[in-house]
Amino acid sequence: MEISLNSIPQTINGEVKLPASKSISNRVLILNALSDSDMPVENLSDCDDTNHMLEVLNSDDCHFNIGHAGTAMRFLTAFLSRIVGRWEITGSERMQQRPVGVLVDALNRLGAHIEYAGQNGYPPLRIYGSYLKGGAIEIPASVSSQYISAILMIAPYMANGLQLTLTGKIVSRTYIDMTIALQREFGAEISVKGHCIHVKPGNYRPVHYRVESDWSGASYFYELLAMTESGQIILPGLLPESLQGDSHQTEVWKQLGVHTRFTSQGVVIERKNSDPTGLKYDFTEMPDLVQSFAVACCIRNIPFEFSGVETLRIKETDRISALITELKKLGYILITGDGSQLIWNGERRQAQTHPRIMTYNDHRMAMAFAPAALKHPGLTIVDQEVVSKSFPTYWEQLSALGLEFT
């Protein structure tokens, strides 16, 4: 299905109900299951990724299809490797193109027995869950932090614990820090020294946990205000001392004129005057926000140079290629630099009259391009349902702010 904007408000004011953090929800579900807790997790994310996790964790089956849910694929591969039984896990066509070789090789070296049911290095996987011996291992940290988080979460249940050394450039370190912080809340004994992480063998304890709101989801409303002349949006449930690395976005949006004020209930963001001549930023720790900032800067006519974007190649789609293709429809010519960069130097061409933005089964493509309809009224988002992966009520929240999509 397709969706397009049929009314444009003069100013943006209102309150948005953000989803719970998907990143925290999915980690807490694994830790909760490993602790054998019977306490429900409060304010759990109601998104596709988390729902797939719940389905598997609550299932009596041994064959699982997790669709497009990359987090679920990585975390469940590790989780099932230490649950006695024979398991098979697969996903969508795109999921079967996303590499898991680094994770599978590491788990097998730690005592797991995982086979490829199709192409080597990719799902589907056949997992024979059993005893994990653990021990010392090195793993490249430049591909995906989720591989590392997946291994860390099961590490206390390895007979010899885990001595993990991260090699190469560490991407999304804040997500690894989030995992370790949550593990400690559930009782794990972990020490970190530089690139070395040591997890002692032991057990998690049950914890009563409430998930905070999603800072990644907040980025689309910062983006929306960045494209307007004035406005104010209330975002309840966001914490200033958050486990989420995407909370650091506040200082970057400030450069684009969107200021953040913390209250006892959450966050108030407000549009103020700004006229930046460009934006240069390293997104190594916040790669999921590249689409929001790229679209906002183009619409505001702010040239940019983003580095640390190489991991976007293996997300739900190749997000670098997708951004270049779809922003070209709006008249903006982007380049990739050395492959780890995304650059717009201000080059323009005539925009399409009625651009149809493809989402490539990527929720963040849909959500990042929707605010661009403010400046391109003929814009249409193809496959709007894809937002259910992380933010099922996204279109309803835009409607509450006066943006009516039909």
Side-chain angles (χ1 to χ4, degrees):
M1 295 181 65
E2 302 180 357
I3 195 167
S4 58
L5 186 65
N6 64 6
S7 67
I8 301 177
Q10 296 299 311
T11 186
I12 305 294
N13 289 287
E15 181 172 316
V16 166
K17 183 178 180 182
L18 293 171
S21 167
K22 174 170 67 78
S23 299
I24 294 177
S25 292
N26 291 348
R27 285 164 172 78
V28 170
L29 281 177
I30 293 291
L31 301 176
N32 206 49
L34 289 169
S35 71
D36 292 324
S37 175
D38 59 1
M39 290 185 287
V41 180
E42 291 188 13
N43 197 39
L44 199 62
S45 174
D46 181 25
C47 68
D48 289 349
D49 277 27
T50 301
N51 289 333
H52 280 302
M53 292 275 291
L54 282 168
E55 288 170 8
V56 173
L57 293 172
N58 294 327
S59 175
D60 293 326
D61 201 354
C62 58
H63 302 271
F64 310 114
N65 187 325
I66 49 77
H68 302 303
T71 306
M73 174 60 73
R74 280 79 176 261
F75 289 1
L76 289 169
T77 294
F79 175 80
L80 292 171
S81 74
R82 56 89 47 201
I83 304 298
V84 175
R86 182 180 184 277
W87 317 100
E88 293 188 8
I89 185 167
T90 188
S92 65
E93 181 179 354
R94 171 58 181 170
M95 184 58 61
Q96 295 179 40
Q97 299 169 353
R98 299 177 69 178
V100 291
V102 171
L103 174 60
V104 170
D105 291 348
L107 288 168
N108 282 340
R109 293 201 300 273
L110 293 166
H113 182 186
I114 304 174
E115 300 174 350
Y116 298 108
Q119 182 181 358
N120 280 350
Y122 299 85
L125 302 175
R126 191 175 297 117
I127 303 169
Y128 300 88
S130 61
Y131 163 92
L132 299 178
K133 66 180 185 295
I137 191 172
E138 292 186 352
I139 185 170
S142 60
V143 181
S144 173
S145 65
Q146 290 182 7
Y147 300 156
I148 297 158
S149 289
I151 293 170
L152 284 174
M153 285 190 288
I154 63 169
Y157 294 86
M158 297 176 185
N160 300 318
L162 177 68
Q163 298 85 47
L164 176 62
T165 301
L166 307 179
T167 63
K169 177 184 177 181
I170 302 177
V171 298
S172 302
R173 179 70 190 241
T174 53
Y175 284 96
I176 300 172
D177 294 340
M178 173 195 289
T179 301
I180 292 171
L182 289 170
Q183 286 182 272
R184 286 171 171 161
E185 286 193 53
F186 278 78
E189 293 187 57
I190 305 176
S191 60
V192 181
K193 187 174 182 180
H195 289 196
C196 298
I197 305 170
H198 180 213
V199 185
K200 290 185 177 181
N203 296 294
Y204 292 123
R205 61 171 182 264
V207 172
H208 185 266
Y209 201 93
R210 179 177 178 81
V211 180
E212 62 183 274
S213 293
D214 184 36
W215 272 103
S216 303
S219 70
Y220 309 109
F221 301 96
Y222 276 89
E223 175 191 353
L224 184 63
L225 279 191
M227 295 181 185
T228 64
E229 299 300 324
S230 64
Q232 178 178 284
I233 300 175
I234 301 169
L235 302 170
L238 294 174
L239 304 179
E241 300 299 326
S242 175
L243 293 177
Q244 302 172 66
D246 286 354
S247 63
H248 299 148
Q249 68 182 284
T250 57
E251 289 303 312
V252 192
W253 287 115
K254 186 176 180 179
Q255 298 181 51
L256 302 186
V258 184
H259 292 244
T260 303
R261 175 165 53 89
F262 288 96
T263 72
S264 58
Q265 284 75 43
V267 154
V268 177
I269 58 176
E270 185 175 4
R271 179 72 165 89
K272 298 184 179 181
N273 291 334
S274 72
D275 190 22
T277 57
L279 179 64
K280 186 175 183 178
Y281 194 78
D282 182 347
F283 279 92
T284 298
E285 298 301 332
M286 299 191 296
D288 284 342
L289 305 191
V290 169
Q291 288 141 300
S292 294
F293 279 100
V295 175
C297 285
C298 285
I299 296 298
R300 286 277 303 278
N301 202 34
I302 300 169
F304 61 81
E305 182 180 328
F306 298 160
S307 58
V309 303
E310 56 268 30
T311 60
L312 298 184
R313 296 284 188 190
I314 61 168
K315 296 288 187 175
E316 283 80 349
T317 186
D318 179 341
R319 288 177 174 169
I320 299 300
S321 177
L323 278 169
I324 291 172
T325 299
E326 301 309 310
L327 280 168
K328 185 181 293 185
K329 296 176 181 178
L330 303 185
Y332 308 99
I333 310 301
L334 278 61
I335 58 176
T336 60
D338 64 1
S340 66
Q341 297 174 303
L342 184 65
I343 299 168
W344 183 53
N345 58 20
E347 184 180 355
R348 298 284 300 272
R349 75 172 194 180
Q350 182 66 38
Q352 295 180 9
T353 304
H354 296 287
R356 297 176 72 252
I357 302 300
M358 307 303 294
T359 58
Y360 308 89
N361 292 316
D362 186 348
H363 54 135
R364 300 201 187 282
M365 286 297 291
M367 293 187 286
F369 274 86
L374 288 173
K375 305 300 180 181
H376 294 268
L379 181 147
T380 295
I381 303 291
V382 177
D383 188 20
Q384 82 275 17
E385 297 95 340
V386 74
V387 301
S388 65
K389 182 172 177 18
S390 65
F391 199 157
T393 67
Y394 178 68
W395 303 111
E396 289 89 336
Q397 300 308 314
L398 286 182
S399 178
L401 296 175
L403 280 76
E404 293 290 345
F405 282 84
T406 56

